[in-house]
Amino acid sequence: MNRPPAITQLRGTGDIGTLTLDWKPVSWATVVDHYAVYVAEPGTTTYTLLGKTVYPHFVHRGLGFTGVTRSYRVVTVDAAGNRSPASRSVAAANKTSVTISGQPIARVGVYDGKGSELALSPKGYAEYPARFPSDVDYTYGTSVPSADWSYLFPGPADKWAGTKNHTVTFRFDLSAVPEQDLDLALWLIDSHASIPGSAVLSVNSTEVGRLAFANGATKGSTIADSTYPGSPLKPSYLEVSLPKALFRTGQNAITLVKDEGSWIAYDAFGVYARK
């Protein structure tokens, strides 16, 4: 039996709730049927089949929000069903969310995979222009999620929202300038499948950067729950550092300007201090 070659350069990159594996594919001289990806959970040396892919890339999803280190191996399977030796194992961990490691300062929504507590949810997006003619301007401690924070954040590609840029402003108070950088946790239950686009993030009128949103399933405009078995939604998670120098005592404002693409659907939006 001629065994196909083992893959090399396996590496893992952790993110919130996911871990991405990449490796160097075998030579084109080998007719690959698929790559089989195996995982060993913490405390065990037994590897179980996680999935198969024809690409030198695999995403392990649904890992939760606390970092856990797992071991991975990949096997090449050729068109005749022959299997290569297992690759060297690589240990890698998903990231721990700031919603676990940090201390909440101000937030809107619950980090639970659902958007039903937010305004216009689950499918009232067409009412956005009338309900939010000047877009969302939310003050933590005063505003009410079910009335003042739209479950969808539209973009310029959305005709139902006026085919224009949109802005969300999130205001909150600080009793003192933070001693460490803060973190923004922007969780989505879904987003547009092909053009979720991006938004410019600013703190107190100073631009921090551009947030790019992952492709979703386009179902989140009418469904508010990504957690039930078989849910078609595709949640995603963005957590970014906010420089402490941008904050001040008293009221602060975080803004997102959606100047590219279509809508995103919120799970929750919040600012966290580091413990």
Side-chain angles (χ1 to χ4, degrees):
M1 179 182 68
N2 294 320
R3 302 182 74 181
I7 65 102
T8 58
Q9 300 179 30
L10 177 63
R11 58 192 181 277
T13 304
D15 210 332
I16 306 299
T18 66
L19 187 136
T20 300
L21 295 168
D22 294 283
W23 56 90
K24 184 179 180 179
V26 299
S27 165
W28 60 268
T30 300
V31 181
V32 176
D33 182 78
H34 66 270
Y35 297 101
V37 180
Y38 293 83
V39 62
E41 294 293 332
T44 179
T45 57
T46 301
Y47 285 81
T48 58
L49 181 65
L50 180 60
K52 301 176 181 180
T53 176
V54 297
Y55 304 104
H57 175 87
F58 186 87
V59 181
H60 190 183
R61 303 183 186 277
L63 298 182
F65 306 110
T66 298
V68 174
T69 299
R70 299 172 174 84
S71 294
Y72 297 88
R73 289 177 176 171
V74 177
V75 171
T76 306
V77 181
D78 69 17
N82 300 318
R83 298 170 59 85
S84 75
S87 69
R88 68 169 180 85
S89 63
V90 63
N94 56 301
K95 289 182 178 179
T96 296
S97 167
V98 299
T99 65
I100 301 295
S101 64
Q103 182 70 35
I105 293 175
R107 58 190 174 186
V108 54
V110 180
Y111 292 90
D112 61 356
K114 303 175 184 178
S116 53
E117 70 272 26
L118 305 177
L120 304 180
S121 180
K123 51 186 176 181
Y125 62 88
E127 301 174 33
Y128 183 93
R131 186 75 162 271
F132 299 98
S134 300
D135 286 325
V136 171
D137 194 327
Y138 188 96
T139 300
Y140 177 71
T142 302
S143 300
V144 178
S146 61
D148 302 318
W149 187 274
S150 172
Y151 80 111
L152 285 193
F153 183 19
D158 297 313
K159 292 183 179 180
W160 52 267
T163 318
K164 62 181 182 179
N165 296 348
H166 291 274
T167 301
V168 61
T169 303
F170 183 75
R171 304 181 191 275
F172 62 99
D173 289 337
L174 289 174
S175 59
V177 175
E179 296 182 358
Q180 301 184 76
D181 292 347
L182 303 183
D183 292 297
L184 172 66
L186 172 54
W187 287 20
L188 307 179
I189 61 169
D190 201 14
S191 50
H192 194 278
S194 58
I195 50 170
S198 63
V200 176
L201 170 66
S202 298
V203 174
N204 292 327
S205 301
T206 298
E207 184 175 324
V208 175
R210 180 174 288 275
L211 302 183
F213 304 110
N215 291 0
T218 309
K219 301 292 185 179
S221 58
T222 57
I223 299 173
D225 189 351
S226 68
T227 66
Y228 64 86
S231 172
L233 307 189
K234 292 184 179 179
S236 58
Y237 316 97
L238 279 171
E239 298 188 357
V240 297
S241 176
L242 303 174
K244 62 182 181 181
L246 299 182
F247 294 95
R248 60 200 178 207
T249 301
Q251 189 177 82
N252 293 263
I254 294 176
T255 57
L256 283 176
V257 178
K258 192 76 164 64
D259 60 355
E260 183 180 271
S262 187
W263 58 266
I264 57 174
Y266 293 109
D267 179 351
F269 182 104
V271 180
Y272 284 75
R274 298 177 184 180
K275 294 180 180 177

